[in-house]
Amino acid sequence: MCPNTDTVGLHGWTAVPVDADAIFEGKPYLNEPTPVSLSDIAWPSDDPIVAKVQEYAKEKLPIETYNHSMRVFHWATIIARQQFPTHASSLSPSTLALTCLLHDIGTTPAARASTQLSFEFQGGFIALQLIQHQLGGAQSQAEAVAEAIIRHQDQGTVGTITFLGQLIQLATVYDNMSERPYLVHPQTREQVVTKFKRCGWSRCFSKSLRAELEEKPWAHTTHLGSEKFPNGVRFNKLMEEYDAWTE
């Protein structure tokens, strides 16, 4: 299938540097973040595929991972609008929502045990099968989601990645390790973590990473450091306060 110019922007296929430092030109941000009200971030609930995938995610994911996925949608939406408005103007909120809901679907014990694949690859294949083949979604959308999921931990300095993939990287590392902590205004951060509580996410995800590394010492997560990455997640100083919130 040849790329269609209409679907490249719509589903986030535009090629951008994989090196986030290059994108931000060595600065903390391109545009100074401003507060965003949650009422200004619309979840695409009117999309029937999004609605079905959301129910699937709620069924398959523990609450900690589901809330993380919803936070990632909010972080990604904010980052796209404020830092990359041209890309944001054409990106489908539904494609972004599907990617966020399913980006960690491969981390569940059942998904890990069902394959020898690293969790990102398994997650991408699950997403492709679910969106395109089970729910009848568009091929370009399903493949964009799958590619972004497969590459959402594929950080580096050489080469390119889809805009959707880079956006998910930025949003996930913000939530997991508080990299580029200035990308989201503190008032907005407070609102998002109040609505979608972390419930000890740092400990939860670090434990999941270590479980995969023990089961699959070849896992792609080793690319980020077998100790460095789980420890970076576990000792997330920016989110430490919110990890303790339960009500």
Side-chain angles (χ1 to χ4, degrees):
M1 178 181 178
C2 294
N4 181 309
T5 54
D6 293 335
T7 61
V8 168
L10 183 65
H11 299 311
W13 282 106
T14 304
V16 299
V18 72
D19 185 355
D21 284 336
I23 292 176
F24 287 102
E25 302 168 359
K27 298 180 289 188
Y29 43 71
L30 296 175
N31 304 300
E32 186 172 0
T34 55
V36 177
S37 172
L38 293 193
S39 61
D40 293 330
I41 301 176
W43 177 257
S45 55
D46 58 340
D47 185 317
I49 292 181
V50 171
K52 289 176 182 176
V53 170
Q54 186 173 22
E55 287 304 311
Y56 175 90
K58 286 181 177 178
E59 176 188 344
K60 300 292 185 181
L61 296 174
I63 186 62
E64 297 90 343
T65 311
Y66 176 77
N67 280 3
H68 163 68
S69 301
M70 295 300 291
R71 289 193 304 274
V72 167
F73 173 81
H74 286 74
W75 308 141
T77 300
I78 293 162
I79 292 168
R81 287 182 187 175
Q82 296 193 342
Q83 304 303 319
F84 314 109
T86 301
H87 291 306
S89 67
S90 59
L91 181 63
S92 163
S94 293
T95 303
L96 178 59
L98 292 169
T99 308
C100 295
L101 285 169
L102 296 173
H103 80 279
D104 275 346
I105 196 68
T107 64
T108 67
R112 286 204 319 268
S114 70
T115 182
Q116 290 177 294
L117 291 168
S118 299
F119 85 86
E120 311 98 304
F121 293 83
Q122 174 70 343
F125 298 150
I126 290 173
L128 184 64
Q129 179 67 25
L130 177 64
I131 295 169
Q132 183 178 352
H133 301 292
Q134 293 180 229
L135 298 178
Q139 180 179 346
S140 180
Q141 181 181 59
E143 290 179 349
V145 172
E147 171 126 347
I149 291 173
I150 289 169
R151 295 195 64 187
H152 84 270
Q153 292 200 144
D154 193 21
Q155 298 175 332
T157 58
V158 179
T160 58
I161 190 171
T162 67
F163 172 68
L164 179 62
Q166 180 61 262
L167 186 59
I168 296 302
Q169 283 194 11
L170 291 169
T172 55
V173 297
Y174 176 81
D175 199 62
N176 290 335
M177 299 180 72
S178 299
E179 288 191 12
R180 303 189 180 278
Y182 306 110
L183 282 180
V184 177
H185 193 279
Q187 291 180 23
T188 309
R189 181 174 68 237
E190 192 95 358
Q191 288 186 59
V192 172
V193 297
T194 297
K195 184 171 183 180
F196 300 104
K197 293 183 173 56
R198 292 180 65 84
C199 305
W201 172 245
S202 296
R203 182 185 296 275
C204 174
F205 188 47
S206 176
K207 183 178 178 181
S208 177
L209 290 171
R210 290 193 180 281
E212 182 185 46
L213 290 169
E214 183 175 346
E215 297 164 4
K216 304 172 185 178
W218 56 83
H220 184 252
T221 291
T222 59
H223 164 70
L224 299 174
S226 298
E227 287 297 325
K228 180 181 177 181
F229 185 44
N231 284 340
V233 169
R234 176 65 184 87
F235 301 107
N236 183 340
K237 292 299 182 183
L238 183 67
M239 299 295 181
E240 188 175 31
E241 170 190 356
Y242 309 118
D243 272 321
W245 289 6
T246 56
E247 298 181 0

